[in-house]
Amino acid sequence: MYRRLPDRARALVRFTFDGEALTAQEGDTVAAALLAAGQLATRHTPVSRAPRAPYCMMGVCFECLVVIDGAPNRQGCLTPVVEGMRVETQQGAAVFEDAE
């Protein structure tokens, strides 16, 4: 579905998605890297658990929410991939511990 342009080869960056080792090109966002790797669903909705995928790629729709290095609700389309990053599918709504 998604292919990289052949004239845009850059250095590779290694990261994991749900424990699977993947590579991205330096400068890719998490959402772009996942789509290029054939990973379409980045989260599941809180009510129906339906899979959702990056849509707008510019930070408006929030369909690309993922867990990055243990932090939920990160917008994959706005976050650049870095070496060793651990990305996970977000399951439903993120639960934050009480700040008290």
Side-chain angles (χ1 to χ4, degrees):
M1 182 173 208
Y2 296 93
R3 286 185 301 160
R4 293 187 181 279
L5 295 174
D7 63 336
R8 305 289 298 223
R10 292 169 279 169
L12 294 180
V13 177
R14 293 171 294 190
F15 70 106
T16 63
F17 179 62
D18 290 338
E20 179 182 354
L22 299 175
T23 58
Q25 290 188 3
E26 191 172 62
D28 281 352
T29 64
V30 169
L34 292 174
L35 291 173
Q39 302 288 339
L40 302 182
T42 56
R43 71 180 185 98
H44 292 92
T45 61
V47 176
S48 69
R49 302 289 183 205
R52 307 301 293 180
Y55 181 68
C56 74
M57 301 299 284
M58 60 183 184
V60 176
C61 73
F62 291 83
E63 296 293 0
C64 63
L65 293 179
V66 289
V67 178
I68 296 178
D69 294 330
N73 289 332
R74 301 289 307 272
Q75 287 179 275
C77 70
L78 299 179
T79 306
V81 175
V82 297
E83 182 73 25
M85 180 180 271
R86 186 172 44 93
V87 182
E88 300 168 62
T89 301
Q90 182 159 317
Q91 305 293 336
V95 177
F96 295 97
E97 294 182 24
D98 194 353
E100 294 179 20

